[in-house]
DNA sequence: AATACATGCACAAACGTTTGTGCATGTATT
DNA sequence: AATACATGCACAAACGTTTGTGCATGTATT
């Protein structure tokens, strides 16, 4: 099928040296093993002429290094995770590693299966957005020495490093923004309930409401999806005493809200105010530019990759757990009603 | 570091059989090699108890099969390609294969380097959105027997299979839509000029204009980016005799247009009409819902993966080249001006 | 001239699988 | 009772690297 691949034997023959020497030169260990300049030249020349492409599988089998990192996210359909995946993929490339991306589809059983498959590819590290509240399978890998970093979602009580947004702060600030604009009756539409970000966002929301002495709020929903946002909004709109503002816990949920608004002829912000977690380039061009809590996706990705490789390269053990401050972007979708 | 991995030897010992037999049972070749039922049971039991995870690197080294497909796109930042990547990734997973995603950053030299790196991972197939007009390096792989499928962009004169949108048809129809709505002076903002889709879109645009006897059009731009859309729109707006409609050749370009419009206080569709290639969930919720030429991303991805595996599994040689019809979505952003 | 160290490489095993082949033993057939 | 075939496995080589070790030869030192 494929044209006969050249291997280091071919190079060795052509250069008149042993495969040991070829391997050492090609791996930049020439100095360390005192290979002569002329030999080095000969080998490099032969490799180039023969169009040599090293066989990573053989190399890994012997060395144990796969130069492969696994990334598992709950849903690549969600633009938030797609953005993270794309960023992480390119960051990891900079280290000469490749990324294998897995999608758990918000299903913990699938997550476990993916993880198993990935382990058989001898991954050297794992970046994961865990999709449920079970952590044993991840903890086990971590304890066995596999560098693991959680991003976005994480386990508060474990020592597995993570990089995420300060979700409490984001939700607290966003809620306060609504309150300061006179909103007293606010509905929050949430995503996956058992995920840490969701829990902390809810906590931030509750705390802000409680501190302001407000108790007329609702928390509904159960998925970071357009569907969920749409459904819950429709339900909210059927109440006789509607909320004056909706706090959406994701990009996708907000799109569902807008869909419902459109169908019911509800205007933002005249009839109802809306603020959402997650930024998106399109938000500025919407009928009403959408206020949002922008998560530092790019920084999260970069830092996660950096941590991973500092552990990989320096065997540094210190578990780092980092929360980055989000940025509230105030736009017209939030109306002052007092 | 990592806990001592169990291998096929450990299982063989535990089951009291040879590694040959273990391998055959675990690979489902038990019947073929007439391994007894009891032996099969013993081996499966031992594998489970020991938490055996096969070493794909060793398996591949021996068998030559890597269960790996490479995907190269010009830019993961572009939501269009991100969508494709996510879809293809999940489709390929269904076949038990994994995907390695490379980003060429619209740079042909990077594309070549990525390709080299990927080859060293013994990829069994390649799905690529080639980013330039050089095809020798891809053709070479294809001729050497590597299954290759181009998507979105492709080379018209080669026999490498491709799956893409009927870009000519999409552009022609969109332009006709504008003309039918009374537009006589239309500006087209294009992306990467030497890409086939761009060329065909331009051709569709030209043909539609010419057939209508219209010659007052312009074609500018050189990149599928927000930047480019923004810049070219600003330039267009400075003309004394402005076009009445803009035809944007991508999602990203359209965002640049809208940015410029906003800054210059231009309203869609009152002051100018806009239609763009590529659909996006947000388009419906924009200040003015954007007319678009929706490409069947999901179908393109599915078909490409299907073709790839039909070639991989059946060694079918017939090169298939497929163009899928896009769907014009007419929305308020195009105004009737006569 | 003898000794000691540096220089420049090659040998051979090993990583964990897969696979062509062959060889016992059992069973059916004549 | 002899022959033929089926059943159930094991041997051993191979995939293409990496790597610990060791051994010549050359050069410097006394």
């Amino acid at each position: 099928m494929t044209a006969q691949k050249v291997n280091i034997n071919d190079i060795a023959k052509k250069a008149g040296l042993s495969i040991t020497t070829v391997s050492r030169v090609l791996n930049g260990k020439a100095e360390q093993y005192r290979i002569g300049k002329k030999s080095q030249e000969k080998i490099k020349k032969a490799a180039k002429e023969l169009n040599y492409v090293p066989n990573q599988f053989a190399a890994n089998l012997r060395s144990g290094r796969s130069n492969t990192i696994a990334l598992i996210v709950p849903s690549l359909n969600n633009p938030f995770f797609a953005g993270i995946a794309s960023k992480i993929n390119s960051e990891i490339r900079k280290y000469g590693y490749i990324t294998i991306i897995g999608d758990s589809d918000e299903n913990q059983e699938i997550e476990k299966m993916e993880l198993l498959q990935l382990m058989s590819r001898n991954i050297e590290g794992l970046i994961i957005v865990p999709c449920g509240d079970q952590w044993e399978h991840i903890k086990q890998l971590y304890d066995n020495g596999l560098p693991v970093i959680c991003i976005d979602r994480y386990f508060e009580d474990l020592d597995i490093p993570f990089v995420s947004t300060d979700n409490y702060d984001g939700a607290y600030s966003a809620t306060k923004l609504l309150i300061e604009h006179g909103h007293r009756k606010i509905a929050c539409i949430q995503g996956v309930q058992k995920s840490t970000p969701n829990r902390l966002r809810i906590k931030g929301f509750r705390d802000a409401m409680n501190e302001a002495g407000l108790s007329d709020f609702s928390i509904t929903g159960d998925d970071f999806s357009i569907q969920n946002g749409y459904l819950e909004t429709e339900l909210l709109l059927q109440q006789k005493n509607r909320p004056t503002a909706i706090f959406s816990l994701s990009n996708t949920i907000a799109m569902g809200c807008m869909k419902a608004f459109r169908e019911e002829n509800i205007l933002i912000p005249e009839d109802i105010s809306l603020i959402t977690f997650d930024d998106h380039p399109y938000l500025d061009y919407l009928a009403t530019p959408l206020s949002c809590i922008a998560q530092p996706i790019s920084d999260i990705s970069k830092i996660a990759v950096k941590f991973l490789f500092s552990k990989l390269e320096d065997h540094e053990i210190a578990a780092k757990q980092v929360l980055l401050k989000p940025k509230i972007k105030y736009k017209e979708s939030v109306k002052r009603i007092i």
Side-chain angles (χ1 to χ4, degrees), chain A residues 171 188-191 197-199 201-202 205 224 247-251 253-254 275-278 293 295:
Chain A
C188 174
I189 305 182
Q190 66 183 342
N198 196 82
R199 280 210 321 276
R201 289 173 194 176
I202 292 299
F205 172 65
F224 288 116
F247 178 19
S248 146
L249 293 198
S250 85
N251 212 317
I253 291 174
I275 189 167
T276 184
F277 249 88
D278 306 336
I293 301 140
Q295 299 194 60

Side-chain angles (χ1 to χ4, degrees), chain A residues 153-166:
Chain A
R153 306 185 192 172
Y154 53 96
F155 306 108
E156 293 173 275
D157 302 329
L158 301 187
D159 52 352
I160 297 178
F162 60 77
V163 186
S164 182
T165 303
D166 188 337

Side-chain angles (χ1 to χ4, degrees), chain A residues 301-313:
Chain A
S301 306
K302 275 188 193 170
I303 294 176
V305 173
K306 205 176 145 199
F307 278 7
L308 196 71
F309 280 95
S310 83
K311 179 137 185 214
L312 257 163
E313 289 167 356

Side-chain angles (χ1 to χ4, degrees), chain A residues 80-81 84 151-153 163-167 170 197 201 224 249-251 276-280 292-300 324-329:
Chain A
F80 177 72
F81 295 124
I84 284 187
I151 55 174
D152 187 43
R153 306 185 192 172
V163 186
S164 182
T165 303
D166 188 337
N167 287 289
R201 289 173 194 176
F224 288 116
L249 293 198
S250 85
N251 212 317
T276 184
F277 249 88
D278 306 336
D279 198 1
H280 191 281
C292 69
I293 301 140
Q295 299 194 60
I297 292 190
S298 179
D299 288 337
I300 289 177
L324 301 177
K325 289 284 176 210
K327 202 164 136 192
I328 307 272
K329 294 190 178 174

Side-chain angles (χ1 to χ4, degrees), chain A residues 77-146:
Chain A
N77 283 328
N78 188 324
F80 177 72
F81 295 124
I84 284 187
S86 127
K87 189 73 190 170
I88 286 191
N89 185 65
S90 69
E91 283 296 316
I92 286 180
R93 277 307 183 93
K94 292 183 188 163
Y95 288 86
Y97 277 58
I98 61 124
T99 313
I100 300 180
I101 301 174
D103 186 330
S104 64
D105 202 23
E106 293 282 11
N107 180 329
Q108 206 139 31
E109 289 313 308
I110 297 183
E111 178 180 295
K112 286 180 192 168
M113 282 190 40
E114 291 272 325
L115 223 38
L116 260 182
Q117 276 194 34
L118 295 173
M119 288 312 291
S120 79
R121 291 184 179 263
N122 289 10
I123 55 170
E124 290 183 48
L126 170 67
I127 301 181
I128 186 170
V129 181
C131 71
D133 47 6
Q134 290 175 40
W135 43 262
E136 292 81 3
H137 54 299
I138 300 174
K139 171 85 171 145
Q140 189 189 331
L141 295 176
Y142 181 69
D143 289 342
N144 277 342
L146 182 76

